[in-house]
């Protein structure tokens, strides 16, 4: 039984198929970077112990103020809000202009369907070194009972 279901976008198995579809289908945009399927979605790790499930999301460059977590209808939603970008540049930065751009921070949204075996009131989160760690505690009845049985 899965405690957390991760929804992933569907990608074409062969990158050559995607390239040919872009070339021969005039109705679609030719710039694959503008398409929704290539929007930023942080990579995740799911760890589980007897008492909790931990989600690790890779969010380098995002501050804790730019990340929002919410639970609604057994769904955990993690999303970013880049409108809260901190103004930490020096005052003379108006003279600075990009001469090369290789990466860009984008808004993201990721949803996780939560099992009834998780306690939604005890969800905690922390950001450290570009990794958002969301800790989901299991309900007491979901924790396996371990006891020794004596042989008589």
């Amino acid at each position: 039984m899965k405690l957390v279901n991760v929804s992933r976008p569907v990608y074409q198995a062969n990158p050559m198929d995607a390239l040919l579809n872009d070339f021969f289908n005039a109705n679609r945009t030719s710039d694959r970077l503008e398409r929704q399927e290539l929007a930023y979605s942080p990579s995740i790790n799911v760890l589980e112990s007897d008492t909790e499930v931990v989600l690790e999301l890779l969010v380098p460059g995002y501050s804790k103020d730019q990340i929002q977590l919410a639970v609604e209808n057994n769904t955990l939603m993690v999303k970013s809000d880049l409108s809260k970008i901190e103004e930490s540049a020096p005052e003379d930065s108006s003279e600075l202009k990009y001469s090369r751009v290789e990466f860009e921070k984008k808004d993201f949204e990721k949803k996780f369907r939560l099992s009834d075996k998780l306690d939604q009131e005890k969800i905690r989160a922390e950001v450290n070194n570009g990794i958002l760690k969301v800790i989901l505690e299991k309900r007491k009845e979901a924790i396996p009972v371990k006891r020794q049985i004596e042989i008589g």
Side-chain angles (χ1 to χ4, degrees), residues 12 17-32 35:
Q12 291 180 318
D17 289 343
L19 182 64
L20 289 173
N21 283 341
D22 285 344
F23 182 75
F24 289 112
N25 191 349
N27 295 333
R28 294 172 67 185
T29 178
S30 61
D31 186 3
R32 297 187 72 231
R35 294 209 332 238

Side-chain angles (χ1 to χ4, degrees), residues 5-52:
N5 286 334
V6 179
S7 56
R8 295 188 175 120
V10 178
Y11 297 101
Q12 291 180 318
N14 186 349
M16 192 63 181
D17 289 343
L19 182 64
L20 289 173
N21 283 341
D22 285 344
F23 182 75
F24 289 112
N25 191 349
N27 295 333
R28 294 172 67 185
T29 178
S30 61
D31 186 3
R32 297 187 72 231
L33 295 176
E34 291 180 6
R35 294 209 332 238
Q36 184 64 28
E37 74 180 45
L38 296 177
Y40 178 70
S41 179
S43 300
I44 67 161
N45 294 330
V46 180
L47 300 94
E48 183 176 355
S49 72
D50 289 341
T51 59
E52 63 188 15

Side-chain angles (χ1 to χ4, degrees), residues 30-144:
S30 61
D31 186 3
R32 297 187 72 231
L33 295 176
E34 291 180 6
R35 294 209 332 238
Q36 184 64 28
E37 74 180 45
L38 296 177
Y40 178 70
S41 179
S43 300
I44 67 161
N45 294 330
V46 180
L47 300 94
E48 183 176 355
S49 72
D50 289 341
T51 59
E52 63 188 15
V53 175
V54 178
L55 305 175
E56 294 179 333
L57 286 86
L58 189 61
V59 291
Y62 292 83
S63 69
K64 68 178 185 176
D65 298 330
Q66 296 170 335
I67 300 172
Q68 300 171 353
L69 287 116
V71 176
E72 185 177 336
N73 297 330
N74 289 338
T75 301
L76 171 69
M77 184 172 54
V78 181
K79 67 179 192 175
S80 67
D81 183 8
L82 292 180
S83 65
K84 297 181 178 181
I85 294 177
E86 299 172 7
E87 295 295 328
S88 60
E91 290 141 10
D92 60 341
S93 65
S94 61
E95 298 174 7
L96 295 175
K97 294 182 181 161
Y98 287 107
S99 61
R100 181 182 180 113
V101 177
E102 289 191 3
F103 71 93
E104 180 180 2
K105 285 174 53 176
K106 297 180 181 180
D107 283 331
F108 66 85
E109 183 175 309
K110 199 132 184 155
K111 294 182 181 180
F112 304 93
R113 196 170 356 154
L114 302 177
S115 167
D116 293 335
K117 298 190 183 277
L118 296 172
D119 191 348
Q120 294 182 14
E121 300 298 321
K122 295 184 179 179
I123 297 175
R124 357 184 260 285
E126 59 189 41
V127 176
N128 192 11
N129 293 331
I131 296 177
L132 171 65
K133 188 181 285 189
V134 181
I135 297 109
L136 307 155
E137 291 187 25
K138 293 181 181 177
R139 295 184 187 271
K140 289 184 181 179
E141 55 269 9
I143 298 174

